[in-house]
Amino acid sequence: MTPRTPGRRWPAFGRLLPSGGSTAARTPFVLLVVVLLGSGLLALLLLNAAVNQGSFELSRLGQETKELRDEEQALQQDVDAYSGPGALDRRARELGLVPGGAPAFLEPDGTVRGEPSPAPDEPGR
């Protein structure tokens, strides 16, 4: 084995490396890398801000949905209270309606089935 000199260690790679201190050639490359990294960080910051804004909006809409569901349930309870049999009977009597008499039915051939009767008068009228 022969001792190798430090400059002759890999002779094929020696041609690929720049020979000398050419820092002027590296300056545009370094600036390009810095600009790319800076713009990437800025884009990441803007993306993060947009995601956070979306998260806050989602939270606000979730709270609004909860409030609207609570309001819907309260309104549904009101509707249920007004549409119950007792409430309908009371409201009908307030409007002057009385329960009907025995109904009569018309058959498809035009005959009347049953004996119709008028509604009874409400006591106290």
Side-chain angles (χ1 to χ4, degrees):
M1 291 191 77
T2 62
R4 295 184 183 208
T5 60
R8 307 281 293 166
R9 196 167 181 174
W10 294 296
F13 293 116
R15 286 177 276 168
L16 297 176
L17 297 174
S19 62
S22 62
T23 58
R26 286 189 209 164
T27 304
F29 177 72
V30 169
L31 287 176
L32 176 67
V33 168
V34 168
V35 167
L36 287 176
L37 285 175
S39 62
L41 287 175
L42 183 63
L44 187 62
L45 179 67
L46 292 174
L47 181 64
N48 191 16
V51 167
N52 283 340
Q53 182 180 3
S55 174
F56 288 135
E57 181 73 11
L58 182 64
S59 175
R60 185 188 64 78
L61 289 174
Q63 180 66 26
E64 185 177 340
T65 301
K66 181 185 176 295
E67 291 170 1
L68 288 173
R69 281 188 186 149
D70 291 344
E71 183 180 350
E72 178 189 18
Q73 287 179 354
L75 290 172
Q76 186 62 45
Q77 288 175 351
D78 290 345
V79 167
D80 291 343
Y82 286 125
S83 64
L88 287 176
D89 182 53
R90 185 178 56 252
R91 184 71 179 134
R93 290 190 189 278
E94 287 173 3
L95 293 173
L97 301 175
V98 294
F105 300 96
L106 291 176
E107 297 290 335
D109 61 359
T111 61
V112 177
R113 188 177 81 186
E115 194 65 36
S117 65
D121 286 336
E122 187 176 343
R125 283 193 151 215

